[in-house]
C-alpha cells in the first residue's frame, strides 16, 4: 500500500480495501475460499486491518479497481498496531486534503468505530513497544469488550515491536483462525 508519508491519507486504507476486493474478484482463479479471508498486519498494517475490522468501507471513495466486489472478511489479526491516532504524536502524517487534522485522525482511529458489528480481532502487543504505547492496545481491548466484539488480546511484557514472523505470532494466529472457523459464519 501507499504510505502516508508518500501519499496523502486515506490512500493506504483505500489500497487495503482494494486488496480485499481483488481477492474476492480472483477467488475462483486462485481457488480461494472468500469465506475464509483473514487480514493480518503488523505496525501500520495492524492499524489498517483494525480499521477495516471496525470502520469497513467508511466514507472513502473506492479506488484501484474491482469496485463491484465486497470487502468482506472473517477477522483481523493486529500485531503491534495503532488504534487511536489522536493519542500518537507521530500520527500527524495522517493528513487528508480538505479535512481538518483531528477529524481525519479520528476517522482513521479504529477505536472510534468499534461497534457490535465489528469483525473479530486478535491483538498482539508488548509493554516495551517503543513505537506504539501498550495503552493503545489496552484501550482497544476494553472498547472491544464493552461492545461485546469477539476478540483476544495477547499482552506481553518483553517482546518489543512484535514482528509477524515470530513463532508465537504464527501459532497464536492459527489457533485464533481455527477458533473463528469452528464458530461458523
Amino acid at each position: 500500500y501507499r504510505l502516508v508519508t508518500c501519499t496523502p491519507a486515506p490512500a493506504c486504507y483505500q489500497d487495503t480495501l482494494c486488496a480485499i476486493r481483488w481477492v474476492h474478484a480472483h477467488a475462483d482463479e486462485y481457488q480461494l475460499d472468500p469465506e475464509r479471508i483473514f487480514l493480518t498486519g503488523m505496525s501500520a498494517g495492524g492499524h489498517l486491518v483494525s480499521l477495516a475490522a471496525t470502520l469497513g468501507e467508511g466514507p472513502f471513495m473506492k479506488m484501484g479497481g474491482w469496485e463491484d466486489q465486497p470487502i468482506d472478511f472473517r477477522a483481523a489479526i493486529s500485531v503491534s498496531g495503532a488504534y487511536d491516532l489522536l493519542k500518537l504524536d507521530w500520527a500527524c502524517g495522517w493528513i487528508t486534503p480538505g479535512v481538518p487534522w483531528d477529524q481525519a485522525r479520528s476517522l482513521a482511529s479504529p477505536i472510534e468505530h468499534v461497534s457490535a458489528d465489528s469483525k473479530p480481532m486478535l491483538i498482539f502487543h508488548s509493554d516495551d513497544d517503543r513505537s506504539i504505547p501498550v495503552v493503545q492496545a489496552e484501550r482497544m481491548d476494553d472498547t472491544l469488550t464493552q461492545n461485546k466484539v469477539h476478540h483476544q488480546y495477547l499482552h506481553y511484557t518483553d517482546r518489543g515491536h512484535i514482528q509477524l514472523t515470530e513463532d508465537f505470532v504464527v501459532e497464536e494466529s492459527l489457533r485464533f483462525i481455527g477458533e473463528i472457523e469452528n464458530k461458523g459464519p
Side-chain angles (χ1 to χ4, degrees):
Y1 54 84
R2 295 169 286 173
L3 299 174
V4 294
T5 54
C6 302
T7 306
C12 55
Y13 188 59
Q14 290 167 313
D15 292 349
T16 300
L17 298 180
C18 181
I20 299 167
R21 294 192 310 267
W22 184 93
V23 170
H24 280 279
H26 294 87
D28 289 341
E29 179 182 350
Y30 290 99
Q31 300 175 10
L32 304 173
D33 182 350
E35 301 296 318
R36 297 183 72 209
I37 299 170
F38 290 81
L39 306 183
T40 304
M42 182 257 165
S43 195
H47 163 250
L48 293 173
V49 301
S50 299
L51 192 58
T54 58
L55 178 64
E57 287 187 322
F60 306 120
M61 181 173 60
K62 291 181 181 180
M63 297 187 77
W66 306 283
E67 283 82 1
D68 61 334
Q69 296 296 312
I71 61 149
D72 197 33
F73 59 94
R74 289 290 291 278
I77 299 167
S78 175
V79 182
S80 301
Y83 306 101
D84 187 351
L85 299 191
L86 291 167
K87 301 279 194 261
L88 294 170
D89 56 355
W90 56 259
C92 59
W94 192 281
I95 299 170
T96 304
V99 178
W101 190 37
D102 280 353
Q103 184 181 342
R105 290 190 307 153
S106 179
L107 183 59
S109 295
I111 200 164
E112 294 291 325
H113 309 291
V114 175
S115 73
D117 295 328
S118 295
K119 299 285 187 184
M121 292 183 66
L122 174 59
I123 296 171
F124 292 85
H125 218 94
S126 183
D127 288 342
D128 60 345
D129 186 322
R130 294 174 43 160
S131 296
I132 302 165
V134 71
V135 70
Q136 290 263 322
E138 292 168 348
R139 288 186 52 235
M140 187 66 168
D141 174 44
D142 289 343
T143 304
L144 291 165
T145 299
Q146 290 168 10
N147 284 274
K148 297 178 174 54
V149 176
H150 181 85
H151 74 287
Q152 185 175 6
Y153 170 40
L154 298 178
H155 177 217
Y156 301 92
T157 58
D158 59 353
R159 302 287 178 135
H161 198 57
I162 301 170
Q163 304 293 307
L164 281 175
T165 54
E166 299 283 347
D167 288 343
F168 70 94
V169 171
V170 174
E171 291 168 14
E172 290 294 341
S173 296
L174 290 173
R175 186 202 49 74
F176 181 74
I177 289 168
E179 175 187 311
I180 296 296
E181 288 186 331
N182 288 334
K183 282 184 67 169

